[in-house]
Amino acid sequence: MVRDYSVYELSVKEKLLFYLVGYVCIFVVVYLFYHSMILSLVSGVLVHKAVPYFRKRMAARRLAVLNIQFKDMLYSLSASVAAGRQMEDALIEAEEDLSSMYEKDEPIMKELRRMKISMTENKESDKALLKDFASRSRSEDINNFVQVYIICRNMGGNLEKIIGHTTEILTDKMNIDREIKTITSQKKVEGRIISVMPLLMLLMLNIFSYSYIEPLYITLTGRLLMTAALAATFYGICLMEKISEIRV
């Protein structure tokens, strides 16, 4: 069970892969701009500065997966409640329904399995479990659904109608979010290609016209210019990533 979906703990394998790939990338870029083996080797250790960013990206990716899986869970809950089952039974049945779609180590399966055990063995209420899930997920969609369900239970509303209507609204919202991300994904790729173009151009110049750019590597002015170019390239990549980040 994940205690907080906004916090991602890297596995040993993920850490090794990230540090290896990150170190190599930094080494190559620094060497491309300075042609200094020592500086490149030393600069590679800066990869640890990118760990928080990588963890944030992985947490966002996991939350996106959870939201998609939650949509499928809503379909199962809606069908079970429409058939006359209580929410406790609907949650238990949802695990069985989704087991044919997802592996047991998927986030939604872990959450449903935990709810099942807590309700059957520890006699915890479905409201408390769903509220805890919504709090840990940090997902607006999940939190909205749980809040509507709790209000419905407390006020004695038509559970079947409200859950069905809420499921339809949240599903439509998730579909719109997915369409927006699909439309903008191509622009993100184009932006990343544009961001790394200076690196590719510098590489091509090193290969085919090194004599033309040699003064940039052997003079103080050249070193300063290359440092400014590296800083501008890094800033451009960060800016492009920020611009292409779509929040809905």
Side-chain angles (χ1 to χ4, degrees):
M1 181 191 69
V2 179
R3 297 186 62 86
D4 189 339
Y5 281 88
S6 65
V7 178
Y8 190 92
E9 296 296 334
L10 298 175
S11 65
V12 175
K13 182 179 179 180
E14 289 172 333
K15 285 182 179 180
L16 290 175
L17 183 61
F18 173 74
Y19 278 109
L20 177 61
V21 175
Y23 186 92
V24 170
C25 289
I26 293 177
F27 176 88
V28 171
V29 170
V30 173
Y31 187 81
L32 190 61
F33 275 86
Y34 294 101
H35 282 194
S36 172
M37 184 65 69
I38 296 177
L39 182 61
S40 300
L41 290 171
V42 174
S43 299
V45 300
L46 294 175
V47 65
H48 75 278
K49 295 289 186 180
V51 171
Y53 173 78
F54 181 66
R55 292 175 59 184
K56 182 180 177 181
R57 298 280 295 190
M58 294 297 290
R61 182 181 300 178
R62 180 179 58 188
L63 182 56
V65 170
L66 179 65
N67 279 327
I68 294 174
Q69 296 174 352
F70 179 72
K71 181 183 68 174
D72 295 325
M73 171 183 156
L74 288 181
Y75 282 127
S76 177
L77 294 179
S78 181
S80 297
V81 172
R85 295 176 177 82
Q86 296 297 319
M87 180 59 77
E88 294 90 340
D89 298 326
L91 288 169
I92 294 175
E93 195 170 275
E95 184 195 10
E96 299 176 0
D97 293 341
L98 298 183
S99 62
S100 61
M101 301 174 58
Y102 300 113
E103 299 292 336
K104 62 180 181 179
D105 59 343
E106 291 292 334
I108 198 64
M109 298 304 296
K110 291 181 179 179
E111 294 293 341
L112 287 172
R113 186 163 55 251
R114 172 182 175 271
M115 292 181 194
K116 177 182 178 180
I117 295 174
S118 297
M119 288 186 294
T120 57
E121 298 182 6
N122 302 330
K123 305 302 179 180
E124 295 186 44
S125 69
D126 59 315
K127 291 193 296 184
L129 291 171
L130 287 171
K131 189 173 182 180
D132 175 67
F133 173 43
S135 175
R136 290 185 293 103
S137 71
R138 308 289 182 173
S139 169
E140 181 182 358
D141 295 327
I142 297 176
N143 185 68
N144 288 341
F145 171 78
V146 173
Q147 291 297 326
V148 170
Y149 169 68
I150 292 176
I151 292 173
C152 176
R153 282 287 300 272
N154 294 337
M155 301 293 292
N158 188 327
L159 186 60
E160 175 186 346
K161 183 177 180 180
I162 291 178
I163 290 181
H165 184 60
T166 304
T167 300
E168 182 180 350
I169 293 175
L170 292 180
T171 300
D172 290 342
K173 180 179 181 295
M174 291 178 185
N175 288 335
I176 293 173
D177 291 349
R178 184 174 60 183
E179 290 177 5
I180 292 175
K181 290 178 181 179
T182 300
I183 293 173
T184 57
S185 61
Q186 182 179 354
K187 297 301 180 182
K188 284 187 176 182
V189 173
E190 293 175 357
R192 287 166 182 168
I193 292 175
I194 294 174
S195 298
V196 300
M197 280 300 294
L199 301 178
L200 296 178
M201 292 177 63
L202 183 58
L203 176 62
M204 296 299 291
L205 288 172
N206 270 270
I207 295 174
F208 298 107
S209 300
Y210 178 71
S211 59
Y212 179 74
I213 61 173
E214 186 178 9
L216 294 174
Y217 294 104
I218 61 177
T219 64
L220 177 61
T221 302
R223 295 285 189 179
L224 294 175
L225 288 174
M226 292 300 271
T227 301
L230 177 59
T233 301
F234 178 75
Y235 175 76
I237 293 175
C238 293
L239 185 61
M240 186 65 67
E241 287 293 319
K242 186 175 182 179
I243 291 174
S244 62
E245 183 179 354
I246 305 298
R247 294 183 179 181
V248 291

